[in-house]
Amino acid sequence: MITPGPADWDPGSLPDLSGRVYLVTGANAGLGYFASEKLAAAGAHVILSGRHPNRLAAAHDAIEARVPGASVETLLLDVSNPGSIRAAAASVRGGPFSRSRLDGVLLNAGIVHTPRTRELTRDGRELVFATNALGHFVLAAELLTTLAKSASRREHSRLVWLGSVSTHLGIGEPTDFQLERRYEAWHAYVQSKLVVHALGIEADARLRAADVPVDSVVAHPGYSIGGRTEMVTGVNEPSRWKRLRDSVQPWAQSKNRGADSLVRALTDPDVRGGEYWGPKFWTQGRTVRQRPSRWAADRDVRTRVWEECERLTGMEWPFARAARAAR
């Protein structure tokens, strides 16, 4: 089921976000870059995070060139590396970014073009699962108290998880989380996104139960591809062949348009925690509220996913501390 949101929401004319601070993972390219650009254009201060210093610098310079007066900073963060996550979170809590509030985190970074064979991170986790799901589970936990401090009872801070339309394509309930029994590249991607979707909904239920003023929302960008996206030097520079190949896919849209779903989920006051947002026609179109995938909506599945992520990361979300910080 697709439920339209308020008809007057215009992705080209966001509300004034002056004074707001958002952290975007994977902000140096694709959806993360264009979401960051939109936030900066609306007056927000954006912390651009990513694992490649040169690419982050290029994204930073591109936003400053394309958005006069933009307020952006960069933060090194590799979401597949727990040590990098904790260091980055510590910088936000007590480093150069601590002078500002934190109104939202866009958990965007991830692997789309998955490796053909199973690869492991430094700490022995399956790479796609670790990057798309586990790393953001840890980052959200590390920043939860900071988000809660910035919230008010009238206006909550927000976590937005990057879902995928692929989770409706028939992949079964996630069980072999690390794909130890069988690895297949497409399955690795879709299962990781099922886990992300389940985490996003379960997080919101647990946040509500603990009275933490942080909303957790899931959004997907449809089928957004680089060859249909405008060129941005150092950020999106598709070859002629990619332009040609992508132009014959009428069901696709640009990454700039795909970022609309993410930005709406992050900033629209009419969006509620636990909801799922994406393009009206699934692969493209204006942003509307949608029905979550079957497994992500299943409470037992969500509980098992959450507990497995706790076990694999050794991380429990500090709900009680976040609730106290918000008072």
Side-chain angles (χ1 to χ4, degrees):
M1 171 188 276
I2 296 176
T3 306
D8 59 352
W9 192 85
D10 179 5
S13 182
L14 297 181
D16 183 12
L17 299 178
S18 298
R20 305 285 184 89
V21 179
Y22 297 99
L23 169 63
V24 180
T25 69
N28 57 276
L31 297 163
Y33 169 81
F34 286 105
S36 298
E37 185 181 279
K38 292 172 190 289
L39 294 169
H45 175 75
V46 186
I47 303 171
L48 311 170
S49 74
R51 60 179 180 165
H52 297 292
N54 292 342
R55 295 178 187 175
L56 273 178
H60 177 280
D61 292 349
I63 290 178
E64 286 198 330
R66 289 162 58 90
V67 181
S71 178
V72 288
E73 295 187 60
T74 60
L75 174 68
L76 284 176
L77 169 60
D78 180 353
V79 293
S80 72
N81 183 334
S84 175
I85 296 168
R86 291 185 171 92
S91 293
V92 174
R93 292 194 304 265
F97 308 109
S98 62
R99 65 181 180 272
S100 301
R101 52 189 292 130
L102 185 63
D103 297 275
V105 181
L106 176 54
L107 304 168
N108 162 78
I111 297 175
V112 177
H113 303 293
T114 49
R116 292 185 178 182
T117 59
R118 185 172 181 265
E119 297 182 15
L120 301 180
T121 62
R122 294 178 184 177
D123 58 339
R125 306 306 181 208
E126 191 276 312
L127 179 63
V128 180
F129 176 52
T131 305
N132 292 359
L134 284 182
H136 285 131
F137 180 83
V138 173
L139 180 64
E142 290 280 354
L143 294 177
L144 186 62
T145 300
T146 305
L147 285 163
K149 286 179 181 177
S150 300
S152 68
R153 293 299 171 182
R154 291 185 59 191
E155 190 164 8
H156 290 187
S157 298
R158 199 167 287 180
L159 287 165
V160 174
W161 307 71
L162 186 66
S164 170
V165 69
S166 67
T167 57
H168 290 271
L169 299 180
I171 297 294
E173 174 185 352
T175 52
D176 181 16
F177 290 89
Q178 297 223 74
L179 303 173
E180 295 171 294
R181 294 191 292 273
R182 181 181 67 87
Y183 179 90
E184 192 274 322
W186 173 246
H187 184 86
Y189 173 75
V190 179
Q191 178 168 277
S192 74
K193 287 302 182 180
L194 276 171
V195 169
V196 166
H197 200 157
L199 288 174
I201 296 176
E202 182 64 16
D204 196 75
R206 294 181 183 231
L207 289 164
R208 300 287 73 71
D211 197 27
V212 178
V214 177
D215 294 332
S216 176
V217 183
V218 183
H220 77 86
Y223 183 45
S224 301
I225 52 180
R228 282 182 167 262
T229 305
E230 64 184 290
M231 190 188 82
V232 178
T233 302
V235 175
N236 187 68
E237 298 178 298
S239 65
R240 288 185 179 181
W241 165 243
K242 184 171 176 58
R243 288 278 190 203
L244 178 62
R245 183 187 63 196
D246 289 1
S247 69
V248 296
Q249 301 182 67
W251 52 86
Q253 64 180 5
S254 71
K255 290 184 180 289
N256 196 353
R257 287 293 305 275
D260 288 342
S261 299
L262 315 184
V263 172
R264 182 170 193 176
L266 192 62
T267 63
D268 186 350
D270 290 312
V271 171
R272 297 291 178 261
E275 293 181 342
Y276 180 49
W277 289 77
K280 181 177 181 180
F281 303 109
W282 289 106
T283 61
Q284 60 176 289
R286 70 182 183 89
T287 306
V288 296
R289 188 168 55 248
Q290 298 181 345
R291 175 178 293 177
S293 65
R294 171 189 172 190
W295 298 118
D298 187 293
R299 182 176 298 176
D300 291 338
V301 171
R302 298 199 321 258
T303 299
R304 288 198 296 274
V305 165
W306 190 273
E307 291 175 350
E308 182 66 5
C309 289
E310 285 184 330
R311 185 185 72 81
L312 289 170
T313 62
M315 171 69 74
E316 293 186 4
W317 282 31
F319 292 107
R321 187 165 74 244
R324 291 193 298 272
R327 293 181 184 138

